[in-house]
Amino acid sequence: MRAAYLLLTILILLYSPLVFAEKNIEKGLPQKNLKPQIGLVLSGGGARGAAHIGVLKILEEMDIAIDMIAGTSMGAVVGGLYASGYTAIEIEQIVHDIDWQNIFDDRTERKDIQFRHKRTDDDRLMDFKLGFKDGKIIFPKGLIKGQKLLLQLKQRTYPVQNIKNFDDLPIRFRAIATDIETGKAAILKKGDLGLALFASMSIPALMPPVELDGRLLVDGSVANNVPIDIVRNMGADFIIVVDVGSPLLTKENITSVLSVTDQLIRLLGHNNSLRQINALKKSDLDHIIIRPDLANFTNGDFMKITEAIPKGALAASKFKAELSQYANTNNIQLVTNKLPLIIEFVRIENDTNLSDQMILRHLEIKTGLPLSPEELNKKIAKVYGLEAFERVSYDLITEDGKTGVLIKATASSIGKNHIRFGLLLSDNLKGDSSYSLLSSLTMTEVNDLGAELRFDAETGEKLLLAGEYYQPLNIVSNLFISGKASIGARNSSVFEDGTITEELRVSAIDFRAFGGLLLGTWGEIKAGMSRQWIKVRENDGSFSFFSGERFVSSAIIAQLNVDTFDRISFPKDGLRVSMTYYGARKILGGNNEFNLFQAGGRYVKTFGKNTLGFAFAAGATFSRDGQVPSAFSMGGFQFMSGLAKEQLTGAFLGYGAIRYHRQLTKEQLNVIDLPIYIGASLEAGNVWNNKNDVSFRSLIFAGSVFLGVDSPIGPIYLGFGMTDRNEQSLHFSLGQSF
């Protein structure tokens, strides 16, 4: 009997630790004989979040293995990359390599957009678009769409695209977003990791909400900026919290509606963070809270983001004593497959009116060959350059043991019909001023080939109503046809010896039809016919449109246009050339006959902050028969600076210039950038009525100096110009002019 009691006692002693251990696992308590589960909490904080990388570097240096990560916003991005298998040094390199100036600028690089859409740069309208449907104006859901940021996150998570459960990543991971419908935290633990990271840092108003699993998600900092509760629920025994949230503004710094809004956003994150941290302090869980000194960093300081990394490392180093007991914990080997995948098929998920074949043609993915994420992003950027989408993204999918890519093309949230506006102001500070208000309605995706119908209106010094239809002919070629009709009127001054002698009003009705060929993204060649009804009368201030001397011009037109500019205002690189032949013929129904040749262009190259450019213009009119108006005019800022606008007119034109500008301001994020430039030009040119008068001796020389601003509503210039004949003028303008 005593032997039986002894045996029972031994069994109880052996079994009781196992029961206790099981209870500890269920409750998430530390276990004496097992490695403690270390949880890492990375808060949101915008650019301040780069400090997380410095903390990770110290943890790696001490060989501390992280078992689970929960992150919000920028903390989710850093934590998601670390959980995917990147080392701290690799993440630091990624942050260093990202083009932060352009990452929040949705526009596809101008060299990659379709030439047709480059022509919209010439319309002098603002980039900002409004939607129009059923007689209602539709505003975009965010200032930007986040296309480049999403593709960057997809590229960096490409090696783990096929891992859909975040518990299966090298480190268990949770990203925190906010359900904007309920205001509650959304815990993202499965699906597309890149999209989850994007949703977690989708800043309200800046970027539209991300639809994921039937929910509309925005930045997680609104609901849970320091997600301590998440790692506690994941079973952490020891929690490392890194809080990089922005401190609240003082009343001295709350001075405008923008700062009030900023403070409200900070309050949301601050209050939920405070609740999380207080709850952790009251618990019996071991923990440390790291707060890097980021006094000189704001959430938006992405242009100096890497400077926050050593701040994080310095703050973490102060906790080495507390961390040392968790050092040398058999850190896991973080390994990801970074080799390009073989793409064996392509699928399209498209909710626009454009055909899938149109998207495939611009995508240019060759199946059966390796495709790196960098190459895939470039191809998707070209599709996005069709300007018909809210976002274009992708998923890697598997069918019958083959790996393919699913392209997801999401229709624009403002619809297919877009309204844009523009404003032009010009003044030479001598009483010669003008203004124009512009607007346009563009109806895109008229059919699956991408046809467009566009209407323009302009009022002010110039009146204009115009409509244009553009139709690609098929999917496999770049052939197109277009037609345009316009009616308008403008003022024209007649000069004699630099003095205005007569003011005219020129009215015109114009019909044009073209057939052409797009030359990739860099040019077009087209030919067609034009018929104009023109009336000229004295400008007496009346509105009469149809009075005055009338003549008709019918012509054959041929054009070659080339454009590789990186931007239209203050370009830094590229070439822009236009060549036109206009052959008026009486046999076509006109009452005049002549041949006109015209060419103009500009080449620019940038060296650091200094941009040097060369410009030219040339024109000639031959075989004139009947009433032929002066074909060319010259004068105005940087087109013989010092002269009044259109002061010189004639049948022949020659012009050349060297132009220079230097950026005075530091590079900022494009979404908030307002660069300021200083510049100058040296110019030579003239116009002549007879070919025999054309000579270098008769050239007029001129120059200008200016201060310029590249603003959201167009370039702003304040300049001074002077000719070698001592003609001088000051110049102020707002808006693009060509």
Side-chain angles (χ1 to χ4, degrees), residues 488-492 504-508 534-537 545 551:
R490 64 180 181 86
N491 296 330
S492 180
L504 302 176
R505 188 69 169 171
V506 181
S507 305
I534 301 173
K535 288 197 172 185
V536 181
R537 64 176 176 84
F545 189 87
F551 61 94

Side-chain angles (χ1 to χ4, degrees), residues 24 62 112 116 298 650:
N24 283 347
M62 298 182 67
D112 291 328
R116 161 71 180 173
T298 67

Side-chain angles (χ1 to χ4, degrees), residues 46 73 104 142 198-208 218-219 265 302:
S73 194
F104 296 108
F198 180 68
S200 182
M201 67 176 302
S202 184
I203 304 169
L206 177 63
M207 291 184 283
V218 297
D219 195 295
I265 295 173
F302 288 96

Side-chain angles (χ1 to χ4, degrees), residues 230-295:
I230 306 302
V231 295
R232 292 181 67 175
N233 292 336
M234 293 172 74
D237 303 315
F238 173 61
I239 299 177
I240 303 170
V241 179
V242 188
D243 184 6
V244 296
S246 297
L248 297 178
L249 298 174
T250 63
K251 66 178 182 179
E252 290 78 16
N253 293 322
I254 303 174
T255 58
S256 67
V257 64
L258 293 176
S259 57
V260 170
T261 303
D262 184 20
Q263 181 75 333
L264 289 173
I265 295 173
R266 292 181 187 223
L267 280 169
L268 288 171
H270 176 79
N271 290 339
N272 66 56
S273 299
L274 198 59
R275 287 193 294 269
Q276 291 277 348
I277 291 172
N278 287 339
L280 177 62
K281 289 180 178 179
K282 292 177 182 178
S283 73
D284 57 358
L285 277 174
D286 288 339
H287 66 272
I288 62 171
I289 300 173
I290 302 172
R291 289 191 173 97
D293 180 7
L294 300 168

